[in-house]
């Protein structure tokens, strides 16, 4: 079983920063892509950013581009999401996800973390 353990969520004021971490139990072909999704109250689960373990290619949703940065530490099997210039609309439960291929569709993702709450106050 692939396990993803998230940390780093919390409460911040608008304009502040948080760094989320996702520690993966293993790195295999089936988890070659690590992504972050988020789900605001009463909303669907939306793609935020993704990164490939091999090569390190990244992709961001337009809503977070230039504000969020995804990165990785292969030696620690850990992916990070640095969130700067946070806005109230960034408030959501953030989920770490792993898949064999790049995708922005939640139903295509087989592995998920438990989610961590990010709340941005105005």
């Amino acid at each position: 079983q692939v396990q993803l353990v998230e940390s780093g969520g919390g409460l911040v004021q608008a304009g502040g920063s948080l760094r989320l971490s996702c520690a993966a139990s293993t790195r295999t072909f089936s988890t070659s892509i690590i992504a972050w999704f988020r789900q605001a109250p009463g909303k669907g689960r939306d793609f935020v950013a993704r990164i490939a373990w091999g090569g390190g290619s990244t992709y961001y949703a337009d809503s977070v581009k230039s504000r969020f940065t995804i990165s990785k530490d292969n030696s620690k099997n850990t992916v990070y999401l640095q969130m700067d210039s946070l806005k109230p609309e960034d408030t959501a439960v953030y989920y770490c996800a792993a898949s064999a291929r790049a995708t922005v569709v939640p139903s295509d993702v087989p592995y998920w973390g438990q989610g961590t709450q990010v709340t941005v106050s105005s």
Side-chain angles (χ1 to χ4, degrees):
Q1 176 76 3
V2 175
Q3 292 185 314
L4 304 171
V5 180
E6 299 151 314
S7 62
L11 173 65
V12 297
Q13 291 188 330
S17 298
L18 283 174
R19 189 180 74 160
L20 306 183
S21 298
C22 172
S25 60
T26 61
R27 287 191 290 114
T28 71
F29 72 94
S30 63
T31 61
S32 59
I33 303 294
I34 302 295
W36 290 95
F37 290 76
R38 65 187 182 185
Q39 188 165 16
K43 305 292 185 179
R45 191 167 297 186
D46 293 328
F47 170 80
V48 176
R50 65 173 179 250
I51 190 167
W53 285 117
S57 61
T58 61
Y59 183 74
Y60 299 89
D62 287 342
S63 59
V64 306
K65 195 175 301 180
S66 81
R67 298 189 299 119
F68 291 10
T69 303
I70 190 168
S71 61
K72 62 185 177 69
D73 185 337
N74 287 39
S75 68
K76 298 178 180 179
N77 285 356
T78 300
V79 171
Y80 306 97
L81 184 68
Q82 178 67 42
M83 305 186 294
D84 298 320
S85 301
L86 283 163
K87 305 173 181 179
E89 50 262 46
D90 294 318
T91 295
V93 177
Y94 283 70
Y95 296 91
C96 181
S99 60
R101 295 188 62 192
T103 183
V104 299
V105 181
S107 61
D108 290 341
V109 179
Y111 306 110
W112 295 90
Q114 80 287 350
T116 184
Q117 178 70 49
V118 172
T119 302
V120 184
S121 62
S122 59

